[in-house]
Structure formats: structure tokens, C-alpha cells
């Protein structure tokens, strides 16, 4: 299969996944808030973030395994592949055991922290039920996910996951509408999500010859004397840790310092911008493996393809966030119409989310190259500095400005790290000048600001009474704002790629 076909399949499958994920994200939370209250929605959002912290136990294993598997898959060395998978599976089993212990501790702690706003027993059992899927992931699928990702088959993961999410949306919607309690709904959701692991396992077993990920079944020589040592596991772990601290800490801090209702408000805005982020990440889906292979075999081609990819990505990012800036207010008004137990209309949060999203997602092309090249150790100090800056500013700013302070802290740390990633990618991996990527940033950011300024008044004058009106407005806005970015893309593609 050609590289272009692989990219198309991976991006298409991931776009489908993100679309269905966003669909569930927009359908279920309003129903949960109206049926069970904002406190319950805030509790669910907080549990997800706390569990995300616990999954750090496996962080670094998958990333290191993916880089290691490139060589085995390129050379079709099944023996080396199996040794890498055995080492990966061994690490996942150890981490899975630790995760079970940590999950029990989290259930007790979170039940105590939120007992004034919601039933302690409900919180306790919700943590255990929601964490059950992660336990299965540790023990059943972690090493297989690394294999499929390294083999440029993320479309398999995305397609199966999309199907499970679609089934989950349908079942949860029916259960909530029928009046079942939230714990019953979550148990059903967990069972549906668990079923996808059987499909993953079935695919891998039938599409890889002589696959083996258990030390006991490998040749005795490799079992005792030549077990594979995953390189940069702890360095990759550091990157995963810092990333999760940054992206998961907001709801945790809001839960600890503010309230579950504040967490629910933040979660609604985070849901919208999270869907936008996932759409942008779809453009990079599968690119890591492709760049990983080309950096090893044809660096010049990798350099040329990255320049073209970066230009396309930045123009798409500009168009997406321009549309978001113009359409967010009417959407929030529609989406939170029936959510009356908390103030969901907060323009300051909307503006800050927009700025943070633009700066954060500008790093995606550079981050993809860094991961493809396996430069975890070399970029570890910068990642630690970003995390330290983010957490320190968050702890200070949340005391002064509440939820808005969390976003201001993110803006500060993202400005540093995103620009640093561009510099490192150009200088130390691709041997390119940094000037053009930085100029591209400035041009795209200026185009976003100018287009929103011009379009704000006309869009604000259009009345939006229902989702059909909003969709019509979205189509008009999308087509209109595409013009400046299409022109920009045409102009920059006329220039040489380097």
C-alpha cells in the first residue's frame, strides 16, 4: 500500500472516530446535567481526569515500544518483533497491577473529597467502574496497540473504537432517558467499551504471523539471556507525565480549589475545544509512523514532506479556529439552554479557551516529528520546564481568577513550549531554518484575528433560535472564512518547501 493511501486511511478513520466521539460528548453531558445535575457531571469529568493521571503508570512503555518496533517491522524480523512485544507486555502487566491498587486508593480519596456535594458511595463505585476499562487495556491490549501504531495501522484502532463509542452513545442515551441511575448507565458503558478489546485481539492474531508476546513461549535462549531492553522508556514516561499533568490538571485543581459546578462549566467548554483539538490531531494520525520510517530511510524526503504538511496543517488550524471564534457564542447559548443550575455563559472563558487552543495545537506538526524521531531524552528538560511553569502558574492564578487563571497559566506555558518545539525540530532533526515556520505562525495568527474582527458584527446580527439555524450559519461562516486561508495556502505553496 502506498504512503498516500496509508495516510488517507488513517486520517479518514481517525476523523470518523473524532466525529463520533464529539457526537457522544455533545449528546450525553447535557442529558446528564438535566437528569442528574451539574454536580454529577462535574464528578464524572473529574473522575476521568483523575483516572487519566493513574494511567501514567504505563506512560512511556507504548511510546518506547513504537519506536523500537519500526526496525523490526521494516526488516520483517518476527523474532525481534516478538521480543519487543514480550518486553512491552511484561511492563504492561506490572503497571496494570499497580493501577488496580492506585484505583482503589483514588476511589476512597475522591469519595471523601466530594462527599459534601454528592454521595460518597456513588463516587466510590463510579471510580471503580470507570477504571475497569483501563485495567483491561493494561492486561489485554497495550502491546497490541503499540504494534498496530508502529505498523501504520491506526485506522484499525480508530474504526473499532468508533464502533464501540457509537454503541455506547445509543445505549447510554436510552438508559438515561428511561430513568436508570447513573451507576447503572456507567456499568453498561464499561461493558460496551470492554468488548472492543476482543475485536482488537482477533484482528492482531489473524494478521501477524507467529505472533507471540509472552516470555514463557519464546525460545529459551531469548527468555533468559537476551530479553529485549526498551530504550528511552523513562524518558518517554517523562514526556507523557508532563503532558498529562498539563492537560489533566485543570479539572483536578478546579475540583480541589473551587467546586464540582465550576468543574462542570469548565468541562463543557473543554468538551467543545477538545473536539476541535481531536479534529486537528486527525491530520497527524498515522503521520508519526510514516515520518519515523522516512527519517530512517530517506531524511531528505522526510524534510520535504514535513514542510508541506506543516503549511497545510497551519492553514487548516487557522480556518478551524476562525470559525470557532465566530460560532462559539451562539452554540453555547443553544447547548446550555436547559442547564440552569450553574452559569455556563462565560465569554472570558471562551476567549481564553480560543487563545490556548490556537497556541497549543500549533505544536502538533513539530511534536509528531519529535516522537517519530524518538527524541524523548533530548527534549525532556524542556518538557519538565513546561510542566513546572504550567503547574506553578495554575496554583497562583486559580486563587486570583478562578477557572480563567487555569487557562492563563496554560497560555504562558504553551507559548514557551510550542515555540521551543518548532526550534528543536528545525535545528536538531530536519536541519531547516526556523524563520519560515515562525513567519507562518505570525501570518496565520494575524489572518485569524483580522477575519474574526471583520466577521464578528455580521455573524452577531444573525438570529439563531435552534440547531438548524446554527448549522446554516456555520455553513455560511465556514465558506466565507475559508477564502482567506485558501488564498494563503495557495500563496505559500507557490514557494519552495524548504
Amino acid at each position: 500500500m502506498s504512503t498516500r493511501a496509508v495516510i488517507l486511511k488513517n486520517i479518514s478513520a481517525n476523523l470518523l472516530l473524532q466525529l463520533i466521539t464529539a457526537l457522544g460528548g455533545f449528546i450525553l453531558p447535557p442529558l446528564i446535567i438535566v437528569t442528574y445535575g451539574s454536580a454529577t457531571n462535574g464528578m464524572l469529568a473529574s473522575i476521568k481526569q483523575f483516572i487519566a493521571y493513574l494511567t501514567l503508570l504505563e506512560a512511556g512503555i507504548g511510546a518506547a515500544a513504537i519506536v523500537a518496533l519500526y526496525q523490526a517491522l521494516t526488516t520483517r524480523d518476527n523474532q525481534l518483533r516478538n521480543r519487543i512485544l514480550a518486553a512491552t507486555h511484561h511492563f504492561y502487566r506490572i503497571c496494570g497491577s499497580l493501577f488496580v491498587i492506585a484505583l482503589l486508593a483514588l476511589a476512597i480519596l475522591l469519595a471523601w473529597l466530594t462527599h459534601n456535594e454528592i454521595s460518597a458511595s456513588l463516587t466510590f463505585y463510579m471510580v471503580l467502574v470507570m477504571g475497569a476499562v483501563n485495567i483491561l487495556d493494561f492486561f489485554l491490549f497495550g502491546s497490541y496497540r503499540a504494534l498496530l501504531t508502529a505498523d501504520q495501522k491506526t485506522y484499525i484502532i480508530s474504526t473499532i473504537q468508533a464502533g464501540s463509542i457509537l454503541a455506547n452513545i445509543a445505549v447510554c442515551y436510552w438508559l438515561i432517558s428511561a430513568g436508570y441511575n447513573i451507576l447503572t448507565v456507567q456499568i453498561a458503558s464499561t461493558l460496551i467499551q470492554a468488548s472492543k478489546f476482543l475485536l482488537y485481539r482477533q484482528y492482531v492474531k489473524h494478521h501477524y504471523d507467529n505472533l507471540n508476546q509472552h516470555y514463557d513461549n519464546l525460545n529459551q535462549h531469548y527468555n533468559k539471556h537476551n530479553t529485549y531492553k526498551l530504550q528511552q522508556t523513562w524518558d518517554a514516561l517523562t514526556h507523557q507525565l508532563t503532558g498529562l499533568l498539563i492537560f489533566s490538571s485543570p479539572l483536578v485543581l478546579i475540583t480541589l480549589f473551587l467546586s464540582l459546578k465550576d468543574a462542570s462549566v469548565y468541562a463543557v467548554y473543554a468538551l467543545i475545544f477538545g473536539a476541535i483539538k481531536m479534529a486537528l490531531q486527525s491530520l497527524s494520525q498515522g503521520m508519526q509512523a510514516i515520518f519515523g520510517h522516512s527519517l530512517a530511510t530517506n531524511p531528505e524526503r522526510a524534510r520535504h514532506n514535513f514542510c508541506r504538511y506543516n503549511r497545510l496543517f497551519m492553514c487548516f488550524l487557522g480556518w478551524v479556529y476562525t470559525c470557532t471564534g465566530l460560532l462559539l457564542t451562539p452554540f453555547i447559548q443553544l447547548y446550555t439552554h436547559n442547564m440552569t443550575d450553574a452559569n455556563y455563559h462565560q465569554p472570558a472563558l471562551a476567549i481564553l479557551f480560543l487563545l490556548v487552543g490556537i497556541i497549543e495545537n500549533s505544536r502538533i506538526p513539530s511534536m509528531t516529528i519529535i516522537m517519530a524521531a524518538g527524541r524523548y531524552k533530548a527534549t525532556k528538560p524542556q518538557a519538565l520546564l513546561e510542566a513546572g511553569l504550567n503547574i506553578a502558574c495554575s496554583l497562583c492564578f486559580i486563587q486570583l481568577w478562578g477557572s480563567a487563571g487555569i487557562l492563563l497559566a496554560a497560555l504562558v506555558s504553551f507559548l514557551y513550549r510550542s515555540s521551543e518545539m518548532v526550534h528543536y525540530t528545525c535545528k536538531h532533526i530536519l536541519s531547516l531554518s526556523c524563520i519560515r515556520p515562525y513567519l507562518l505562525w505570525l501570518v496565520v495568527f494575524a489572518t485569524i484575528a483580522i477575519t474574526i474582527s471583520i466577521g464578528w458584527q455580521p455573524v452577531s446580527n444573525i438570529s439563531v433560535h435552534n440547531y438548524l439555524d446554527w448549522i446554516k450559519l456555520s455553513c455560511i461562516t465556514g465558506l466565507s472564512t475559508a477564502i482567506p486561508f485558501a488564498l494563503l495556502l495557495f500563496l505559500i505553496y507557490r514557494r519552495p518547501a524548504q
Side-chain angles (χ1 to χ4, degrees):
M1 188 182 299
S2 67
T3 300
R4 181 172 296 180
V6 171
I7 294 174
L8 183 61
K9 289 182 73 171
N10 285 331
I11 290 178
S12 299
N14 193 251
L15 279 172
L16 175 64
L17 171 61
Q18 307 309 345
L19 178 63
I20 293 175
T21 301
L23 180 66
F26 288 123
I27 290 176
L28 295 180
L31 192 59
I32 290 171
I33 291 171
V34 172
T35 306
Y36 307 112
S38 289
T40 298
N41 185 61
M43 179 262 290
L44 294 174
S46 297
I47 289 175
K48 289 178 183 177
Q49 294 304 317
F50 276 110
I51 289 177
Y53 272 119
L54 296 187
T55 57
L56 285 171
L57 290 168
E58 67 90 22
I61 300 173
I66 290 169
V67 174
L69 282 165
Y70 289 149
Q71 178 186 352
L73 294 171
T74 301
T75 59
R76 300 183 184 275
D77 188 339
N78 289 346
Q79 197 171 61
L80 175 60
R81 179 201 65 192
N82 286 348
R83 289 171 55 213
I84 296 170
L85 289 177
T88 305
H89 184 62
H90 177 69
F91 274 114
Y92 269 113
R93 289 175 64 184
I94 295 173
C95 292
S97 301
L98 295 174
F99 179 83
V100 172
I101 298 171
L103 189 69
L104 286 170
L106 173 64
I108 296 170
L109 176 62
L110 202 55
W112 175 74
L113 286 173
T114 61
H115 73 277
N116 290 327
E117 296 183 78
I118 205 162
S119 168
S121 60
L122 175 61
T123 303
F124 178 83
Y125 289 119
M126 287 295 290
V127 172
L128 297 183
V129 171
M130 294 173 71
V133 174
N134 300 89
I135 295 174
L136 294 174
D137 188 48
F138 276 110
F139 286 98
L140 297 180
F141 184 62
S143 55
Y144 290 151
R145 183 175 57 247
L147 174 63
L148 291 172
T149 301
D151 203 22
Q152 305 178 38
K153 291 184 177 180
T154 53
Y155 63 89
I156 300 298
I157 302 174
S158 299
T159 302
I160 294 175
Q161 192 169 347
S164 69
I165 292 174
L166 196 60
N168 180 65
I169 295 170
V171 171
C172 289
Y173 187 90
W174 179 80
L175 290 173
I176 295 172
S177 301
Y180 286 88
N181 63 62
I182 188 62
L183 183 58
T184 302
V185 174
Q186 189 57 52
I187 290 173
S189 175
T190 297
L191 291 174
I192 292 170
Q193 293 179 63
S195 65
K196 67 187 177 184
F197 295 117
L198 298 175
L199 297 175
Y200 289 137
R201 185 181 181 87
Q202 194 73 8
Y203 178 88
V204 171
K205 290 292 185 182
H206 282 80
H207 288 80
Y208 291 91
D209 296 330
N210 304 316
L211 187 68
N212 197 317
Q213 62 170 356
H214 298 282
Y215 278 134
D216 295 339
N217 296 331
L218 291 175
N219 183 282
Q220 194 72 6
H221 172 70
Y222 292 106
N223 184 21
K224 290 185 176 181
H225 306 293
N226 200 20
T227 55
Y228 191 87
K229 304 295 183 183
L230 289 175
Q231 301 296 317
Q232 298 195 83
T233 302
W234 292 106
D235 299 312
L237 169 61
T238 301
H239 281 270
Q240 298 286 349
L241 173 62
T242 56
L244 204 55
L245 281 173
I246 291 167
F247 299 124
S248 299
S249 61
L251 277 175
V252 175
L253 293 175
I254 291 171
T255 301
L256 294 176
F257 290 98
L258 301 177
S259 70
L260 286 177
K261 287 189 176 181
D262 289 312
S264 181
V265 173
Y266 187 96
V268 166
Y269 281 91
L271 174 68
I272 296 168
F273 283 90
I276 295 169
K277 179 180 178 179
M278 288 190 295
L280 290 169
Q281 287 179 330
S282 297
L283 286 180
S284 67
Q285 189 65 29
M287 295 299 296
Q288 179 185 341
I290 291 169
F291 280 128
H293 286 283
S294 60
L295 282 170
T297 58
N298 192 340
E300 182 63 29
R301 182 180 179 185
R303 186 181 301 116
H304 177 78
N305 287 340
F306 172 78
C307 292
R308 295 177 63 86
Y309 164 65
N310 187 46
R311 293 172 177 183
L312 174 64
F313 181 89
M314 287 301 299
C315 288
F316 184 71
L317 176 143
W319 175 67
V320 167
Y321 277 104
T322 299
C323 293
T324 303
L326 293 171
L327 297 168
L328 182 63
T329 298
F331 179 82
I332 286 291
Q333 291 172 346
L334 286 174
Y335 187 67
T336 62
H337 177 69
N338 294 320
M339 304 178 191
T340 57
D341 60 344
N343 178 22
Y344 286 89
H345 182 60
Q346 299 192 24
L349 279 184
I351 295 171
L352 287 170
F353 262 109
L354 185 71
L355 293 174
V356 167
I358 293 170
I359 300 300
E360 174 193 349
N361 290 298
S362 297
R363 72 172 67 184
I364 289 178
S366 297
M367 182 171 60
T368 302
I369 283 288
I370 290 172
M371 293 175 67
R375 301 293 182 90
Y376 297 108
K377 185 175 182 179
T379 57
K380 184 168 64 174
Q382 299 93 313
L384 290 170
L385 179 57
E386 178 192 22
L389 186 62
N390 185 280
I391 299 301
C393 291
S394 294
L395 290 172
C396 295
F397 294 170
I398 194 173
Q399 308 291 340
L400 299 172
W401 300 296
S403 297
I406 294 287
L407 292 166
L408 285 171
L411 190 60
V412 171
S413 63
F414 290 167
L415 279 170
Y416 156 71
R417 182 70 168 130
S418 295
S419 59
E420 187 280 329
M421 278 188 174
V422 171
H423 177 269
Y424 184 89
T425 299
C426 292
K427 288 295 184 183
H428 300 286
I429 299 178
L430 298 174
S431 300
L432 294 172
S433 170
C434 299
I435 296 177
R436 287 190 178 180
Y438 286 137
L439 285 177
L440 179 61
W441 272 25
L442 292 175
V443 172
V444 170
F445 296 164
T447 306
I448 294 173
I450 294 170
T451 308
I452 290 178
S453 299
I454 294 173
W456 181 261
Q457 194 62 40
V459 171
S460 300
N461 290 335
I462 298 175
S463 299
V464 177
H465 303 290
N466 51 54
Y467 283 110
L468 182 59
D469 289 342
W470 185 83
I471 292 172
K472 292 177 181 177
L473 177 61
S474 299
C475 293
I476 296 171
T477 303
L479 290 173
S480 301
T481 55
I483 296 173
F485 291 99
L487 179 61
L488 176 61
L489 187 63
F490 171 76
L491 292 174
I492 60 178
Y493 259 90
R494 294 180 62 186
R495 301 181 63 86
Q498 299 179 36

